[in-house]
């Protein structure tokens, strides 16, 4: 993974850091990597070149999706990369940073709505303890079943990414005390209150929740911290990722464009402080006038301010072997993969 990261960084460093990108059309998995690697590149660049800036909290990247299902899928991708021990070691050793990049999903599924209450936090702690931890009071057979369940969840990136082997245990213990303060080395922020107290570098949400967040006082610190970070340096720019950008055509595109205007007003920034990545696998390449009009209408930037990246199909063998841990997958029941509170 680290070799791949370095290659991607070299590819993007001279293009993306000064350009907005429109990526189309590429296979779904590669389309995701089109924005994951630039996000990581920007974070590493800041941590190494501007370490004092990186110490400050604030949203560096805002990923907006049209629906919750897509948000949950991307959360797994970030768990797999940023949540790995290898990435943490690589990042800290190269940047000498005193924290790692944080990411979090902030949607209607994120626990939990309202104020942070002891009773609600303890209920959430019970849910996480039963779902993600091995009970010391269980017999050997039950503990083995729980271990298989955890292994299965990790194999499909459904296990929350906290720091160290006991990271989730610490999170649960803190919930019992109604404490929502993540460690500097916790990659994933889980509750709304963690993100309100410590705004994540990468905020993954949908446009409906973003609209609520811009109106409510309880999320004010997220935007205030981001605004302060943006004002610290001319090099600090907000990256907005609009995945599945083709879904923002017509009236939906008008709504998201107006929502972005409200966001920029809240942060007191102009388009010069914003970069975009728009990705889609459903855009025709034979009509550049339509592509340019779509880009400018959605982002407000001029057509000469973006780089168009396209993909190509790669021929694969008819017989592809996929290495799968059958026992681990079989241990994951439908309740683990479908329970909204655990997405």
């Amino acid at each position: 993974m680290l070799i791949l990261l370095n290659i991607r960084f070299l590819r993007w460093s001279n293009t993306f850091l000064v350009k907005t990108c429109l990526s189309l059309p590429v296979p779904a998995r590669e389309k995701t990597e089109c924005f994951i690697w630039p996000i990581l590149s920007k974070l590493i660049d800041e941590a190494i070149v501007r370490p004092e800036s990186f110490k400050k909290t604030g949203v560096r990247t805002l990923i907006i999706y049209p629906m919750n299902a897509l948000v949950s899928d991307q959360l797994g991708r970030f768990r797999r990369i940023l949540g790995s021990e290898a990435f943490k070691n690589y990042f800290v050793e190269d940047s000498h940073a005193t924290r790692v990049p944080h990411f979090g999903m902030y949607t209607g599924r994120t626990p939990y709505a309202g104020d942070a209450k002891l009773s609600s936090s303890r209920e959430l702690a019970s849910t996480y303890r039963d779902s993600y931890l091995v009970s010391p009071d269980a017999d050997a057979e039950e503990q083995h079943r729980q271990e298989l369940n955890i292994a299965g969840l990790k194999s499909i990136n459904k296990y929350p990414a906290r720091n160290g082997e006991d990271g989730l245990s610490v999170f649960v213990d803190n919930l019992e005390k109604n404490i929502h303060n993540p460690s500097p080395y916790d990659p994933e922020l889980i509750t709304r209150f963690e993100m309100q107290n410590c705004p994540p570098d990468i905020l993954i949400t949908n446009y409906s929740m973003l609209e609520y967040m811009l109106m409510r006082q309880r999320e004010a610190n997220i935007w205030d911290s981001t605004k302060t970070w943006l004002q610290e340096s001319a090099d600090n720019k907000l990256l907005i990722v609009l995945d599945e950008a083709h879904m923002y055509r017509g009236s939906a595109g008008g709504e998201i464009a107006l929502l972005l205007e409200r966001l920029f007003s809240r942060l007191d920034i102009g388009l010069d402080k914003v970069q975009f990545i728009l990705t889609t696998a459903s855009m025709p390449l034979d009509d550049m006038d339509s592509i340019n009009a779509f880009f400018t209408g959605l982002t407000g930037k001029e057509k000469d301010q973006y780089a168009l990246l396209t993909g190509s199909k790669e021929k694969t063998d008819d017989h592809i072997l996929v290495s799968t841990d059958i026992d681990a997958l079989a241990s994951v029941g439908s309740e683990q993969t479908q329970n909204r509170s655990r997405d």
Side-chain angles (χ1 to χ4, degrees):
M1 181 189 72
L2 299 183
I3 294 176
L4 178 59
L5 282 174
N6 288 333
I7 291 173
R8 293 286 183 171
F9 290 159
L10 289 173
R11 176 183 173 186
W12 284 87
S13 60
N14 293 327
T15 301
F16 177 73
L17 295 181
V18 295
K19 296 285 284 187
T20 280
C21 293
L22 177 59
S23 173
L24 56 104
V26 294
R29 184 178 182 86
E30 292 182 14
K31 181 164 58 67
T32 300
E33 269 63 63
C34 282
F35 62 79
I36 287 184
W37 303 135
I39 290 172
L40 299 183
S41 178
K42 284 172 64 68
L43 288 169
I44 290 179
D45 179 75
E46 182 185 355
I48 294 175
V49 179
R50 305 189 306 280
E52 291 302 314
S53 172
F54 186 71
K55 290 179 181 179
K56 296 178 172 60
T57 60
V59 177
R60 273 78 167 164
T61 298
L62 179 62
I63 306 177
I64 306 173
Y65 281 95
M67 59 188 70
N68 278 343
L70 296 172
V71 177
S72 298
D73 176 68
Q74 292 310 319
L75 188 66
R77 297 288 186 90
F78 282 102
R79 283 172 175 165
R80 181 169 60 87
I81 300 174
L82 273 72
S84 69
E85 192 70 16
F87 177 83
K88 184 189 81 170
N89 294 336
Y90 171 79
F91 185 88
V92 173
E93 288 173 8
D94 276 36
S95 68
H96 306 290
T98 55
R99 71 176 184 89
V100 297
H102 303 300
F103 66 92
M105 175 184 77
Y106 207 111
T107 70
R109 299 180 179 182
T110 305
Y112 47 84
D115 298 322
K117 300 177 181 178
L118 181 60
S119 58
S120 299
S121 293
R122 286 181 172 175
E123 182 179 350
L124 182 63
S126 178
T127 299
Y128 270 73
R129 184 182 297 105
D130 294 341
S131 302
Y132 301 120
L133 301 180
V134 176
S135 173
D137 299 325
D139 58 35
E141 182 178 351
E142 176 61 17
Q143 287 184 345
H144 180 65
R145 187 197 68 78
Q146 292 172 345
E147 289 170 352
L148 283 176
N149 179 61
I150 292 171
L153 290 171
K154 287 182 177 179
S155 72
I156 57 175
N157 305 311
K158 289 286 186 179
Y159 194 84
R162 301 295 275 206
N163 180 45
E165 290 295 324
D166 64 342
L168 209 54
S169 296
V170 173
F171 169 73
V172 171
D173 290 342
N174 283 339
L175 284 178
E176 292 285 2
K177 306 167 189 174
N178 201 27
I179 296 175
H180 298 265
N181 292 320
S183 156
Y185 295 99
D186 282 331
E188 181 178 356
L189 308 188
I190 298 174
T191 70
R192 300 186 186 197
F193 315 107
E194 286 187 330
M195 286 178 265
Q196 291 164 13
N197 295 331
C198 178
D201 302 285
I202 304 167
L203 181 64
I204 311 169
T205 187
N206 56 58
Y207 63 84
S208 297
M209 179 56 76
L210 177 59
E211 186 169 13
Y212 285 121
M213 293 173 70
L214 289 172
M215 294 188 296
R216 297 189 302 214
Q217 183 61 32
R218 61 170 48 97
E219 283 92 5
N221 183 56
I222 295 177
W223 309 124
D224 290 341
S225 298
T226 303
K227 180 179 178 180
T228 299
W229 173 77
L230 286 167
Q231 293 173 342
E232 286 288 327
S233 169
D235 294 322
N236 292 349
K237 297 184 179 182
L238 177 65
L239 170 59
I240 296 178
V241 178
L242 298 176
D243 198 7
E244 306 296 342
H246 57 275
M247 299 187 71
Y248 297 117
R249 292 175 292 183
S251 60
E255 290 176 6
I256 191 67
L258 290 173
L259 181 61
L260 291 176
E261 286 290 340
R262 289 176 53 196
L263 172 65
F264 302 155
S265 176
R266 176 65 176 82
L267 297 175
D268 194 22
I269 58 174
L271 287 174
D272 60 310
K273 294 288 283 184
V274 184
Q275 292 174 295
F276 288 92
I277 296 181
L278 279 61
T279 68
T280 176
S282 304
M283 188 77 72
L285 289 175
D286 56 355
D287 190 353
M288 286 304 301
D289 288 340
S290 295
I291 292 176
N292 291 336
F294 174 77
F295 171 80
T296 57
L298 190 58
T299 67
K301 288 180 174 282
E302 298 298 325
K303 64 181 181 180
D304 61 351
Q305 292 182 291
Y306 77 90
L308 180 64
L309 303 179
T310 60
S312 59
K313 293 183 179 180
E314 180 179 351
K315 187 176 181 180
T316 58
D317 295 333
D318 293 336
H319 303 287
I320 300 176
L321 296 178
V322 179
S323 178
T324 304
D325 188 336
I326 299 298
D327 292 334
L329 288 177
S331 69
V332 181
S334 60
E335 68 276 7
Q336 281 84 18
T337 59
Q338 296 179 8
N339 190 318
R340 291 190 174 188
S341 68
R342 302 165 197 170
D343 281 338

